[in-house]
Amino acid sequence: MAAAFSFAQVLRFSSTPFSLQTNRNTLRSFTLFRPFSTASSSSSSSSYSVISPHKLQREKWRQPVVSVLELGGVKIARDDVVRDDPTNNVPDTIFAKLGMQLHKREKHPIGILKNAIFEYFDTNYSNKFDKFDDLCPLVSVKQNFDDVLVPEDHVSRSYNDTYYIDSQTVLRCHTSAHQAELLRGHTHFLVTGDVYRRDSIDSTHYPVFHQMEGVRVFSPNDWDGSGMDATSFAARDLKKCLEGLARHLFGSVEMRWIDTYFPFTNPSFELEIFFQEKWLEVLGCGVTEQEILRRSGKENNVAWAFGLGLERLAMILFDIPDIRLFWSSDERFTSQFSSGQLGVKYKPLSKYPPCFKDISFWINDSFTENNFCEVVRGVAGDLVEEVKLIDNFTNKKGMTSHCYRIAYRSMERSLTDEEINKLQWDVRDQVVSKLNVVVR
């Protein structure tokens, strides 16, 4: 649901392939941030003028990183995603994650959790819910933002938060990007997929993660005779459904509902459970705004929607301490989990020592921490465990300095001083060249 987008942001959140809608007639104006170039090639031409789900008209490749992927029936090459385009801010490290689809791996914690949720809905709703887990993550700005009523000036639209392929095409920030089109042909559906956001670096944040949302649409016949108005009827059904899901995943736990605000649902709620001696926020949900239904040709209906982050719940259920582990290919991690075994507790690998390096620089007006983290990730990949601001000050000339501490740690081996020093020098060089800051 659209609420899944805001929910995950606060927490830090039929088999027919989707068509990719691109509209290049209007160049959207952004007032917050402009992207810095992430393409590794200096070529100024893009391999494709328009991305089409039916035919990709390819020109000459620019040193491809991987072979062509096929996602949701759409063939995608590196040149479709990482471009020498002033509106493109997708690095190769993000393109490398496309097609990995952890949620489709039955022996992976994300796939195990997804299937456990599917089982709940299949059992309690007699297979009424259509399931989608292979929709293409390349979507239009309209699908990602406009169709779910994200305001024009919302920070999530900025290049600082979202990966833009071009001015009208993004890597989806949330599974709600597919909601409007699905509503035109379905009344009960679950959507699961990988989503992409530029973010900070720590044990619970990663630029690629997985979401699931559910939507149920009611007709007047459903609430007639209930003695309730349509909105109250849908809200009651929603809470009953999600309380059952929480019990299915966590057992007999105490729950509470928190009234909240999302621009996409009204009323809106968050579900919290008391688990392991503390209250945990599990998901966001609400009764879908009528404008969304009206645009999808369902003005006489009412609906509910929910959204949850699979990594967040999997970290709790499987006792996984670091979000980077979900991407590990180390057999000592992957061999611990089996299909259908929800909540098997992760046995930690040998914990290798961290190495801390500090970097200080004078920032400029266009500096953002997300841009800095993107540079660090581009150099060190998953060897960087955390980036933390440890000091900042403004001198008498009005110049502001930031000092960041970077924690390097591999999940699989000890890092040598030589390779850490090289990474740190590369970070320094990239920060200067890409962010135009002055290292102190």
Side-chain angles (χ1 to χ4, degrees), residues 137-141 144-145 162-165 168-172:
L138 279 67
V139 299
S140 68
V141 168
N144 199 70
F145 297 119
T162 295
Y163 288 109
Y164 278 82
I165 295 169
Q168 293 299 312
T169 313
V170 301
L171 292 175
R172 65 185 171 211

Side-chain angles (χ1 to χ4, degrees), residues 9 88 102 143 194 256 300 308 315 352 369:
Q9 204 164 28
N88 183 287
L102 303 184
Q143 288 173 299
D194 43 331
R256 67 185 183 188
N300 296 322
L308 54 84
M315 290 179 80
Y352 298 99
E369 190 167 299

Side-chain angles (χ1 to χ4, degrees), residues 381-401:
D382 286 352
L383 295 182
V384 59
E385 180 176 69
E386 184 179 39
V387 172
K388 185 177 182 180
L389 179 67
I390 60 172
D391 184 44
N392 70 91
F393 70 91
T394 302
N395 66 13
K396 294 180 180 179
K397 296 180 179 180
M399 299 172 63
T400 299
S401 171

Side-chain angles (χ1 to χ4, degrees), residues 330-377:
D330 191 324
E331 287 188 1
R332 293 173 298 168
F333 174 78
T334 59
S335 64
Q336 294 188 34
F337 309 102
S338 301
S339 177
Q341 299 298 308
L342 182 68
V344 171
K345 302 307 179 185
Y346 163 70
K347 297 180 179 61
L349 312 179
S350 298
K351 191 155 187 178
Y352 298 99
C355 179
F356 300 97
K357 295 287 184 179
D358 294 350
I359 180 172
S360 299
F361 45 81
W362 300 104
I363 68 171
N364 52 44
D365 290 341
S366 63
F367 175 82
T368 72
E369 190 167 299
N370 277 0
N371 280 348
F372 176 61
C373 288
E374 200 70 18
V375 169
V376 176
R377 277 200 182 98

